[in-house]
């Protein structure tokens, strides 16, 4: 095969190494090789990223193949097509001439076609006396025949990778769903465990996940999530298997703990706070008249504003973030693990966390947070304590402080209400909060 510098109406194009490599492949094509052109095109389309082709260049290749009349491409047949630029642009859905030139060059560089230019750069076919084509100038499709097996292997590699990626995404989705559900179940059922730490671990792992992740990164994240999944599952299964024995031991353990000198010392130090936890008969009546639904997160955060400083990035978006902050606050307040575990068992982890947030909000007024929490836990066991009165008292104190501050500045109370970030509550709730304590 003769090598020469090709010229076209678009200017002179020197022979490149890619063109020489494509010609070498075409020359090595075995005799009698035959392929279904659209089958090979499908393989090329699936492996386009590995080959280096683009969507636009494949649109042009599709148009070039359509100019070959037979469904098969044969090494023994004519493999050169010679459409004009206008014909190519029309079959490529009206592609502009500049775009056509650019993507034809991509097809050549990828080794999908070879230019066979005439001396004057025109594309045409010269026929003999019998009507058969003796010489054609245009685009040679022989690399598609010569590399058909290679394209099929590349397409299979892409399909294998796609299946692996899809499996990794499904595995990630299932792990994320199961972990969140198990954490929620552990919190709702009051299962002993450091759910705040587990939540932070989960958020840290998911935080490494970009919008578009390669499969290797997905596999690494799934491995870490699976370890966390096993840890949470073991905690839940252990609690399920030993639930009744644990309940019996917890009752007897409380009696033993009350006889422990350290526990007595803790309770005695918090004795002054016990009266505060007990409150008056009117407060006990209010406890039973409070709504049975859960406290909204927004109201709790408005009452316990200092709680946000314990959260990651000082932002609490949901109850999982709220519970994660409890794991930070407990050691800061000096609450022992046993006191916290008992509070979670009696109150439930969410109510225990709300109670701890209220204690943290008034930390400067409480001498012994651990003893206070134990006292509240004992009252909750007798049905005489709810987190509602604590949160409402904090909201009432906040409103009173705002009103006093506004009066001190000589401004109207409405100015305080307009302060950015203030929680909007109903008039009925405001009247309840502003009622004088009995």
């Amino acid at each position: 095969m003769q090598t020469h510098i090709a010229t076209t109406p678009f200017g002179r194009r020197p022979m490149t190494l890619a063109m020489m490599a494509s010609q070498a492949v075409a020359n090595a094509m075995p005799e009698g090789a035959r392929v279904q052109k659209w089958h090979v095109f499908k393989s090329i389309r699936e492996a386009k990223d590995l080959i280096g082709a683009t969507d636009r260049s494949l649109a042009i290749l599709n148009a070039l193949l359509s100019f070959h009349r037979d469904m098969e491409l044969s090494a023994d047949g004519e493999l050169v097509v010679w459409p004009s630029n206008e014909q190519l642009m029309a079959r490529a859905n009206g592609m502009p001439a500049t775009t056509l030139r650019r993507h034809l060059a991509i097809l050549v560089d990828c080794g999908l076609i070879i230019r066979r230019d005439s001396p004057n750069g025109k594309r045409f076919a010269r026929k003999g006396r019998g009507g058969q084509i003796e010489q054609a100038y245009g685009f040679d499709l022989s690399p598609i025949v010569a590399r058909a097996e290679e394209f099929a292997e590349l397409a299979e590699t892409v399909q294998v990778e796609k299946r692996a990626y899809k499996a990794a995404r499904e595995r990630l989705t299932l792990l994320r769903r199961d972990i969140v559900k198990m954490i929620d179940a552990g919190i709702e059922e009051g299962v002993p465990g450091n759910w705040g730490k587990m939540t932070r671990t989960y958020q840290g792992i998911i935080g490494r996940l970009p919008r578009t992740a390669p499969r290797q990164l997905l596999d690494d994240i799934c491995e870490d999530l699976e370890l966390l999944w096993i840890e949470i599952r073991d905690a839940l299964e252990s609690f399920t298997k030993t639930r009744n024995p644990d309940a019996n031991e917890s009752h007897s353990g409380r009696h033993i703990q009350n006889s422990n000198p350290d526990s007595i010392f803790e309770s005695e130090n918090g004795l002054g706070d016990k009266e505060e936890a007990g409150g008056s008969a009117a407060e006990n009546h209010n406890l039973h008249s409070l709504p049975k639904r859960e406290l909204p997160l927004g109201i709790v955060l408005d009452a316990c504003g200092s709680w946000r400083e314990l959260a990651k990035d000082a932002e609490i978006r949901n109850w999982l973030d709220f519970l994660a902050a409890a794991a930070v606050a407990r050691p800061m307040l000096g609450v022992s693990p046993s006191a916290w575990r008992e509070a979670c068992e009696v109150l439930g982890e969410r109510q225990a966390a709300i109670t701890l947030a209220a204690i943290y909000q008034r930390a400067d007024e409480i001498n012994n947070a651990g003893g206070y929490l134990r006292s509240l836990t004992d009252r909750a066991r007798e049905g005489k304590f709810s987190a509602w009165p604590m949160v409402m008292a904090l909201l009432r104190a906040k409103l009173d402080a705002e009103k006093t501050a506004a009066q001190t500045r000589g401004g109207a109370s409405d100015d305080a209400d307009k302060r950015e970030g203030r929680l909007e509550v109903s008039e009925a709730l405001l009247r309840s909060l502003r009622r004088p304590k009995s």
Side-chain angles (χ1 to χ4, degrees):
M1 182 177 297
Q2 183 178 3
T3 301
H4 61 277
I5 295 178
T7 60
T8 70
F10 299 118
R12 297 177 62 83
R13 294 186 180 87
M15 176 68 70
T16 64
L17 292 177
M19 294 171 64
M20 295 178 64
S22 299
Q23 290 188 9
V25 171
N27 291 337
M29 181 173 49
E31 294 183 3
R34 304 172 70 88
V35 297
Q36 293 286 336
K37 63 181 182 181
W38 298 121
H39 290 175
V40 182
F41 179 76
K42 180 181 178 182
S43 298
I44 294 172
R45 185 176 57 198
E46 292 178 352
K48 64 183 179 65
D49 292 333
L50 297 180
I51 296 172
T54 63
D55 292 334
R56 288 289 188 90
S57 63
L58 291 185
I60 297 173
L61 181 60
N62 181 82
L64 288 173
L65 289 173
S66 70
F67 284 103
H68 192 280
R69 295 181 179 180
D70 298 331
M71 294 299 294
E72 286 187 339
L73 301 178
S74 172
D76 301 329
E78 179 58 53
L79 294 175
V80 177
V81 292
W82 54 93
S84 65
N85 292 325
E86 289 74 16
Q87 290 174 316
L88 271 178
M89 287 186 291
R91 292 202 185 183
N93 301 319
M95 183 179 295
T98 54
T99 305
L100 177 68
R101 290 197 300 269
R102 184 169 65 254
H103 290 285
L104 279 172
I106 291 176
L107 290 176
V108 174
D109 291 339
C110 291
L112 293 173
I113 60 173
I114 299 174
R115 292 183 185 274
R116 304 291 187 193
D117 290 335
S118 65
N120 65 358
K122 300 291 184 180
R123 302 178 196 130
F124 62 91
R126 182 181 295 117
K127 297 183 180 181
R129 293 182 179 179
Q132 73 276 14
I133 296 175
E134 293 183 347
Q135 182 67 49
Y137 298 98
F139 299 104
D140 191 346
L141 304 176
S142 57
I144 294 178
V145 180
R147 300 177 63 189
E149 292 185 3
E150 175 191 348
F151 295 146
E153 292 175 358
L154 290 175
E156 179 61 25
T157 300
V158 171
Q159 288 301 316
V160 170
E161 180 61 26
K162 283 183 177 180
R163 288 193 292 269
Y165 185 83
K166 182 180 179 181
R169 292 292 305 182
E170 290 176 350
R171 182 186 177 198
L172 175 67
T173 300
L174 292 174
L175 284 169
R176 292 182 66 173
R177 184 189 67 188
D178 290 350
I179 288 174
V180 170
K181 285 186 175 180
M182 288 194 298
I183 289 177
D184 286 342
I187 293 171
E188 292 294 333
E189 297 295 331
V191 178
N194 196 339
W195 299 111
K197 178 183 176 182
M198 293 180 185
T199 300
R200 290 196 302 274
T201 302
Y202 169 75
Q203 292 173 340
I205 295 173
I206 296 302
R208 293 158 40 200
L209 186 65
R211 184 178 297 275
T212 303
R215 183 175 63 85
Q216 185 58 49
L217 178 58
L218 290 180
D219 289 339
D220 293 341
I221 290 177
C222 285
E223 291 296 331
D224 294 341
L225 286 177
E226 191 160 359
L227 293 176
L228 179 61
W229 181 87
I230 293 173
E231 180 182 357
I232 298 172
R233 181 203 61 186
D234 290 346
L236 294 176
E237 288 184 352
S238 176
F239 177 76
T240 302
K241 291 177 181 178
T242 61
R243 188 166 188 174
N244 291 334
D246 280 352
N248 294 333
E249 287 181 9
S250 64
H251 286 299
S252 60
R254 289 175 192 131
H255 292 298
I256 295 172
Q257 188 177 25
N258 288 340
S259 62
N260 189 317
D262 292 338
S263 299
I264 294 173
F265 178 74
E266 181 181 80
S267 298
E268 287 177 349
N269 287 340
L271 189 59
D273 298 322
K274 276 192 175 184
E275 295 180 1
E276 183 178 6
S280 63
E283 286 176 334
N284 289 336
H285 175 73
N286 290 337
L287 185 151
H288 294 290
S289 64
L290 286 170
K292 300 302 181 184
R293 61 184 175 83
E294 294 287 342
L295 274 163
L297 179 61
I299 290 180
V300 176
L301 290 176
D302 196 62
C304 308
S306 300
W307 198 247
R308 286 189 176 89
E309 65 191 28
L310 303 175
K312 184 180 180 180
D313 300 328
E315 184 178 359
I316 294 180
R317 296 171 292 270
N318 49 49
W319 282 112
L320 288 179
D321 293 343
F322 190 90
L323 295 174
V328 180
R330 183 196 62 75
M332 291 177 60
L333 292 171
V335 176
S336 65
S338 61
W340 175 245
R341 184 167 54 253
E342 188 174 357
C344 290
E345 291 174 357
V346 175
L347 293 166
E349 189 164 6
R350 181 179 294 185
Q351 291 298 315
I354 294 173
T355 303
L356 194 66
I359 294 174
Y360 184 81
Q361 187 69 23
R362 299 176 51 208
D364 56 342
E365 304 174 16
I366 299 174
N367 296 328
N368 189 332
Y372 189 19
L373 182 61
R374 284 190 186 276
S375 175
L376 297 178
T377 301
D378 291 339
R379 293 186 58 79
R381 189 180 296 110
E382 299 170 1
K384 297 179 180 179
F385 171 74
S386 167
W388 268 91
M390 296 185 72
V391 173
M392 295 302 105
L394 288 171
L395 282 173
R396 187 191 303 120
K398 181 177 180 180
L399 288 173
D400 291 344
E402 289 177 354
K403 183 177 179 180
T404 302
Q407 291 175 348
T408 302
R409 291 193 304 266
S413 60
D414 289 341
D415 293 335
D417 291 345
K418 294 177 182 178
R419 187 163 56 93
E420 182 180 0
R422 183 185 184 279
L423 178 68
E424 295 182 2
V425 295
S426 66
E427 288 298 326
L429 181 56
L430 287 172
R431 286 196 299 270
S432 173
L433 295 177
R434 287 168 176 158
R435 278 202 310 266
K437 294 181 181 180
S438 55

